[in-house]
Amino acid sequence: MRKPLIAGNWKMNLLYSKVPSYVEVLTKELQALHWTQATSGVLLAVPSPFLGLARELASKQGFSVAAQTIHEKSEGAFTGEISVNMLKDLGVDWTLVGHSERRQYYNETNESVALKSKAALEHGVTPVICIGETRAEREANQTHEVLRKQLAPVLTALKGSDAYVLAYEPVWAIGTGLTASDEQAQEAHAFIRSLLRAESPALAEKVRILYGGSVKSSNIKGLMAQPDIDGALVGGASLDPTEFAKIVAFSR
Ligand code: PGA
């Protein structure tokens, strides 16, 4: 059984000074909804200046904290970047990699995403590797081809490891209010799992595949009822801890 994982992606939102109240409200709401660590994992992908504080507060409540991106090198002259060993030093064990906004605005490629994912794993940081097609690609019936191309270098780079999470995020569903239907999402997830199975059946059983794109408390149940959806990567709806707690609780 794959334990559900619900990840909130704050993107470039909220403030350092709001982190304590966010964690407090999330904790209270989850208690009221009878959430326990045994039922699902909670991960908060926060802006890098918040990482240390968020980790300190979140870990006391059984939540994990992730960076939103990393550089593939351990150190060096890369102004503005953060490395995996900096995360480890802060006690942060997770990072998003290859989010579509990183691909779109910061020129991340399938190859650089593979390098970053590998660097994370080598330092004991779990990457949540994001893939997904654009609207034009879906309309041109290229979804499977795009997913295959995005995943291939990652699978090659990570061969031998199963300590990562994938997130299927159709770009047309991110921040648009347009969620993929339960069936559309399941179909893509089943395809991604078939690519994992081609590597090894054990890998396909183990690796969690999250869905992302306009997830809310009103649509999480239908998505989570699908056999190949193991959790969610939630952007906008994670900014409100009350709403995010409902998404976590309804994901069981
Ligand atoms: P959204 O973002 O939930 O606001 O659509 C999801 C994501 O980008 O991870």
Side-chain angles (χ1 to χ4, degrees):
M1 261 302 271
R2 296 178 293 270
K3 180 172 157 181
L5 175 65
I6 306 297
N9 176 10
W10 292 7
K11 308 191 180 183
M12 197 176 74
N13 292 299
L14 302 182
L15 291 171
Y16 182 86
S17 56
K18 301 282 183 237
V19 173
S21 61
Y22 182 101
V23 173
E24 198 183 314
V25 174
L26 180 61
T27 304
K28 283 201 182 122
E29 298 283 344
L30 284 174
Q31 271 164 4
L33 293 162
H34 309 293
W35 172 83
T36 68
Q37 285 182 56
T39 50
S40 53
V42 173
L43 180 65
L44 302 173
V46 304
S48 34
F50 311 174
L51 281 168
L53 177 64
R55 193 211 57 88
E56 193 186 315
L57 299 175
S59 61
K60 290 186 192 136
Q61 309 302 339
F63 315 146
S64 300
V65 165
Q68 295 177 1
T69 185
I70 43 146
H71 195 275
E72 58 269 29
K73 297 266 170 52
S74 303
E75 61 192 7
F78 301 102
T79 302
E81 295 289 328
I82 56 170
S83 72
V84 197
N85 45 347
M86 292 174 189
L87 294 189
K88 265 318 248 193
D89 193 44
L90 275 175
V92 171
D93 295 327
W94 292 79
T95 184
L96 305 185
V97 177
H99 188 278
S100 67
E101 287 148 20
R102 301 293 314 171
R103 295 174 188 259
Q104 190 181 347
Y105 304 132
Y106 303 98
N107 305 321
E108 291 192 9
T109 62
N110 296 338
E111 287 65 35
S112 68
V113 168
L115 288 175
K116 287 169 194 276
S117 303
K118 188 160 186 250
L121 276 176
E122 281 172 357
H123 287 82
V125 167
T126 306
V128 177
I129 306 157
C130 307
I131 57 176
E133 81 288 359
T134 62
R135 179 196 283 270
E137 288 162 344
R138 175 162 283 265
E139 284 171 357
N141 270 327
Q142 292 168 346
T143 300
H144 285 190
E145 210 33 52
V146 169
L147 295 175
R148 189 194 299 279
K149 281 205 182 114
Q150 289 175 331
L151 205 51
V154 169
L155 292 177
T156 305
L158 305 189
K159 232 179 182 57
S161 172
D162 59 10
Y164 57 91
V165 172
L166 297 176
Y168 168 63
E169 297 206 299
V171 178
W172 49 271
I174 295 178
T176 57
L178 288 174
T179 326
S181 68
D182 299 343
E183 294 72 27
Q184 276 173 326
Q186 166 57 24
E187 193 277 331
H189 279 235
F191 176 71
I192 294 166
R193 203 172 302 284
S194 77
L195 297 176
L196 295 173
R197 197 169 296 113
E199 294 289 306
S200 110
L203 187 67
E205 276 310 303
K206 168 89 192 292
V207 170
R208 287 176 289 185
I209 309 173
L210 314 184
Y211 169 78
S214 299
V215 172
K216 314 182 251 307
S217 59
S218 57
N219 58 23
I220 185 71
K221 281 190 176 164
L223 290 162
M224 290 304 295
Q226 307 304 314
D228 289 299
I229 299 184
D230 306 313
L233 180 51
V234 186
S238 75
L239 299 179
D240 170 2
T242 303
E243 168 69 1
F244 188 57
K246 284 190 196 147
I247 296 172
V248 172
F250 296 169
S251 70
R252 290 175 290 201

